[in-house]
């Protein structure tokens, strides 16, 4: 039986995993332009939720574990 906290971490990982990993607009470094530091959608969501980088990785890894059948 899955506990509430475990289910919450799993759902958090699913939501974060659904967000794009990169910022839209492509890579401007190839054009010789140094872009200002921008946060990806995942980083923005994590920052708004008060999550560390390690917590985001943990949640996504938990979400990727196959469900018991």
């Amino acid at each position: 039986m899955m506990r509430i906290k475990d289910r919450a971490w799993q759902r958090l990982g699913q939501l974060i995993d659904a967000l794009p990993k990169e910022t839209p607009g492509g890579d401007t470094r190839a054009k010789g332009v140094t872009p200002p530091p921008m946060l990806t959608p995942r980083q923005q969501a994590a920052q708004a939720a008060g999550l560390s980088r390690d917590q985001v990785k943990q949640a996504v890894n938990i979400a990727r574990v196959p469900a018991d059948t």
Side-chain angles (χ1 to χ4, degrees), residues 33-55:
V33 178
T34 305
M38 296 179 63
L39 296 176
T40 66
R42 284 187 180 192
Q43 291 170 333
Q44 290 173 359
Q47 187 177 47
L51 299 172
S52 71
R53 197 168 100 190
D54 289 336
Q55 288 172 322

Side-chain angles (χ1 to χ4, degrees), residues 19-39:
L19 294 172
K21 292 181 182 180
E22 309 225 351
T23 54
D27 188 12
T28 57
R29 290 178 289 171
K31 299 174 186 170
V33 178
T34 305
M38 296 179 63
L39 296 176

